[in-house]
Amino acid sequence: MDTAVAISPVARSGWTPVPNPQFRRAPASVVPLAFPHPGRCGMPGFGSVQATMVERAGATHINVRKGAALFRAGERSTALYAIRLGSFKTQVVTDDGHEQVSGYHMTGDVIGSDGIGGSAHDCEAVALEDAEVYVLPFERIEALAREDIGFQRSLHRVLAGEIARERGVMVMLGTMRAEQRLASFLIDLARRYHERGYSGSEFVLRMTREEIGSHLGLTLETVSRLFSRFRDSGLIDVRGRVVKLLDRAALKRIILAG
Amino acid sequence: MDTAVAISPVARSGWTPVPNPQFRRAPASVVPLAFPHPGRCGMPGFGSVQATMVERAGATHINVRKGAALFRAGERSTALYAIRLGSFKTQVVTDDGHEQVSGYHMTGDVIGSDGIGGSAHDCEAVALEDAEVYVLPFERIEALAREDIGFQRSLHRVLAGEIARERGVMVMLGTMRAEQRLASFLIDLARRYHERGYSGSEFVLRMTREEIGSHLGLTLETVSRLFSRFRDSGLIDVRGRVVKLLDRAALKRIILAG
DNA sequence: CGAAAACTTGAAAATTCTCAAGGCGGGTGG
DNA sequence: CCACCCGCCTTGAGAATTTTCAAGTTTTCG
């Protein structure tokens, strides 16, 4: 389970390799509330489904440096990846070169499901901070799913979950205005941190305003203005990437009512 | 394969049952270019993956009337459905009662994949015209996937395809302006009709302006105005729901350049 | 410490929505 | 057969939202 593997995603992004230690730690945040250390129980944030998959698939793991791609669009995919530590963005690169962030993923999330069945990846996954992921090769996963009905069920639930997640983003983009989008983004992040045992009211964003905007279908300026507006209304406290939710009820009301 | 089954989705929508014949035909369109008759080869528009699944899963089939729901959000799901004839919209109903069309599906498409793995459906499928679907019960599908590596592969490809399709909608909503959205909608429809052996340049829309708008994240008025603008620019010919694409190259240019 | 990246804020422009009014078309009942 | 009705569509004008462009500030990182 802890067999670090020879694959080096570092090479893919032209990063200078670091001599001995596993990899450089991301600089300590002023307020290291979110994405902290590996977690006491060894597998922080893993839902039962993902935990089962990691355990049963006899996963190796690899390190991915901040800014490096775990996989790229067009690559033939060979595995699912369960995030053990760190966080990623997945993004689609459109024909005209534009990028759209399709999701943010943190400890315990499974990414790469778009490549199952032998198709190529149609998005790329980039680490937002130094990260470690379990590698679950499709061959192994598909073999297990054939042998074990429970594992098959888990796999299908992961895939259905990804479909549902994307559908949620679709509804956000299709029906909400800017304020609602940012509010729902913040509430979603809070929920996910909370689920992982971290503070759901105070966290550090791992992405830029531009990346947030890309995910929400807004420009970086609009995102920045909204953060300011929420701060001025007393809904949140924001200092750069450090966010504190002060009035979650009000944020939820914004999501519903506009 | 042709065992019509006793399930009556009619009951779900309060339609008056029709005595003997299978079901009432949708009124003949003035120009019946799209969604015509079952098709000479017996399985029009079915890609190899879907065809394999239908053949191997020993599918029964059921009829769904125009306006009736094949499944609803929240229902525990029990099967995948392969459309044999007709077309559907899938839509998400949000907490505040709003509806967002998440996709349009025609002959040969497989719908209901969000419910695989035992989760409940998080969207509903409504027939846009009288339709027939093959029913592929999850139990049967999952059993086959365990027995047959090729079938498993097909299943995974269908699921990955749904993830990719939704991601495409996400990018459309997140990065395109109204003109680009409608252009890409029309080009997409044209491609899909063409793939099924129908005219890719002349077809009848099965949905209202409001439904198109809901799918594209626009109001019905904006959709209507865009149709008019495209007509005035000589890109298309529109008469209500009958659409003829006159300059597809220009439409594609709009998608790319705005 | 200095350069580059990220962020904030303002003002004007562009896009899209909302509200409102009217037209078209097909199906139904008189 | 005709008139009416209802759902759907079109179009306009003004309002609201969001983007664009621009300038300046803060933060990050080597």
Side-chain angles (χ1 to χ4, degrees), chain A residues 114-127:
Chain A
D114 58 305
I116 204 166
S119 18
H121 284 296
D122 57 1
C123 68
E124 64 184 22
V126 175

Side-chain angles (χ1 to χ4, degrees), chain A residues 103-218:
Chain A
Y104 293 108
H105 313 275
M106 43 211 260
T107 311
D109 288 339
V110 172
I111 58 183
S113 49
D114 58 305
I116 204 166
S119 18
H121 284 296
D122 57 1
C123 68
E124 64 184 22
V126 175
L128 292 172
E129 60 193 314
D130 292 343
E132 298 178 27
V133 299
Y134 292 105
V135 180
L136 315 171
F138 286 146
E139 280 187 19
R140 188 100 186 78
I141 285 193
E142 295 186 324
L144 272 168
R146 266 176 273 125
E147 290 161 18
D148 177 353
I149 190 169
F151 189 89
Q152 184 187 38
R153 187 58 56 95
S154 296
L155 173 61
H156 288 171
R157 207 162 294 164
V158 166
L159 298 174
E162 177 65 7
I163 292 173
R165 189 192 66 76
E166 290 197 350
R167 198 162 293 168
V169 177
M170 228 165 78
V171 170
M172 182 269 290
L173 292 171
T175 68
M176 294 185 181
R177 24 260 311 325
E179 272 199 346
Q180 297 173 284
R181 295 186 198 182
L182 187 63
S184 91
F185 174 71
L186 291 174
I187 291 293
D188 182 55
L189 275 189
R191 180 184 53 74
R192 291 160 74 192
Y193 285 145
H194 183 71
E195 279 172 9
R196 283 157 179 77
Y198 306 140
S199 168
S201 55
E202 205 169 345
F203 44 83
V204 178
L205 301 171
R206 304 307 340 181
M207 65 295 278
T208 67
R209 299 288 190 261
E210 182 168 23
E211 287 169 326
I212 296 173
S214 168
H215 185 50
L216 303 183
L218 303 170

